[in-house]
Amino acid sequence: MSAILPPAERIWWNQPIDRIEITWVVVALSWCLFMFAMMPLWHIYGRQNLTSESYRVSPEAYAAKAQEMVSKYTVRTETARNYPVVHPPAGSDVYLVARLWEWWPLLELEKDKTYRLHLSSMDWQHGFSLQPLNVNFQVIPGYDMVVTLTPDQAGEFTVLCNEYCGIGHHTMLGKIYVVDKKG
Ligand code: CUA
């Protein structure tokens, strides 16, 4: 049969299906259904899929909220560039700004307390990647991505940018400290 000539047997599709073909159809379909079911299941039971919400926000309005939090709750500054380290009240809304080429400010959260972490960009797309936990979110200007999280491990976590955003992409590093108040 060719694509130009009509098929020799007119009703070419109405033939019994070969065993090997039906076997592969069943294998592929089962795998599709399994993967389809895993999407919601893994969201609920997997350990790295945080639930998020997103809202429209202008970069100016977002920056104002972040600035307000930084002005109120900065506890110290770090590095030669005096990055504020912010320790917001447990359970509050926390704002992390992504921009060329930094995550601002540095955050200090308390272990076992729940926060609403807001992520937004001031310019173009960045990627929030929390290491070594491998938590990933897109950070897009005009959108406030809200992630509800409860740090269950004290320590120092690095925020990387995992969307290529220009010449300073590789220098775009942030920090989240998780402190254990009881310890
Ligand atoms: Cu921001 Cu890459």
Side-chain angles (χ1 to χ4, degrees), residues 69-81:
M69 177 196 74
V70 170
S71 307
K72 264 192 187 158
Y73 302 117
T74 295
V75 288
R76 59 178 187 275
T77 59
E78 281 188 6
T79 78
R81 293 176 68 181

Side-chain angles (χ1 to χ4, degrees), residues 120-133:
S120 192
S121 165
M122 297 296 105
D123 31 61
W124 56 68
Q125 181 171 359
H126 301 281
F128 174 89
S129 174
L130 189 64
Q131 299 300 329
L133 298 180

